[in-house]
Amino acid sequence: PSSVDAGPDEPEPPFNFPCDHGEALQEGLNRNITINGTEGRGTRNITVNFPRVDRGTKMPVVFGWHGMGDNVGNFKSALNLTAGDADFPFILILPESTNMNFADPNNPGVDWDNLDSVTGDDNMEVALAESVIGCLMSYDDIAWDQIYSFGFSAGALTTNMLHSRLPQVFAATAA
């Protein structure tokens, strides 16, 4: 009997997060995403862009966090952000900020929940990133060792905070 080489084993992600939203992410604006652990703090809107590539193409995931006072539409337009193409495919995740105010003693943040975060807390951006990744875990075509985050201004603070909280998740960040 001859054996068939099934090829290399695909690495499993070194983390496992739930998909709090309970539904697959859709192309474009995903409205009113509920994130567990942030009850009473509202829902979130996330814009997701998938590249147009053949099934089986491994795709990195790139999170982008806009600056203070900005929004996803302006951020995306100013930087000409799109999901990758066949030559460099990636999934683009663009959350809308929580519009937090650093002067608010109960919920300090610079547009994002980015000033107060320790392991085990209810930080909204950590919960959002974990949930989005959890929702992508049902996809076969994710390059789990290639999850990235970048941010501008207040979004840079968010990217840095996320990397400090989830170093096992992000391969690289730019702020």
Side-chain angles (χ1 to χ4, degrees):
S2 64
S3 62
V4 176
D5 181 7
D9 290 334
E10 290 295 325
E12 291 292 319
F15 41 77
N16 187 14
F17 300 121
C19 177
D20 296 331
H21 180 53
E23 299 177 20
L25 297 171
Q26 303 298 314
E27 172 73 24
L29 180 61
N30 292 257
R31 291 185 180 274
N32 300 319
I33 305 286
T34 301
I35 307 298
N36 285 340
T38 62
E39 286 80 8
R41 296 174 81 182
T43 59
R44 301 297 293 274
N45 294 335
I46 307 162
T47 297
V48 180
N49 295 129
F50 293 96
R52 305 287 183 248
V53 294
D54 293 332
R55 185 150 175 74
T57 302
K58 291 294 181 189
M59 298 173 287
V61 177
V62 178
F63 284 84
W65 308 85
H66 65 73
M68 184 174 177
D70 203 0
N71 60 53
V72 168
N74 288 336
F75 186 55
K76 191 174 178 184
S77 177
L79 297 179
N80 195 26
L81 296 173
T82 61
D85 57 23
D87 293 330
F88 184 61
F90 63 89
I91 299 168
L92 181 63
I93 308 289
L94 300 170
E96 196 71 55
S97 79
T98 55
N99 295 315
M100 293 179 78
N101 185 324
F102 59 87
D104 182 346
N106 298 317
N107 288 309
V110 182
D111 234 28
W112 303 92
D113 191 4
N114 54 14
L115 293 182
D116 191 15
S117 180
V118 296
T119 301
D121 71 4
D122 65 348
N123 183 280
M124 292 189 290
E125 311 320 334
V126 172
L128 174 72
E130 288 176 344
S131 185
V132 167
I133 292 166
C135 292
L136 291 173
M137 293 188 92
S138 64
Y139 292 77
D140 296 330
D141 302 335
I142 305 297
W144 294 113
D145 59 344
Q146 296 179 45
I147 299 178
Y148 305 101
S149 182
F150 74 96
F152 175 76
S153 183
L157 292 173
T158 304
T159 287
N160 289 336
M161 180 275 299
L162 285 169
H163 188 251
S164 72
R165 282 290 302 277
L166 302 170
Q168 77 282 13
V169 171
F170 294 103
T173 60

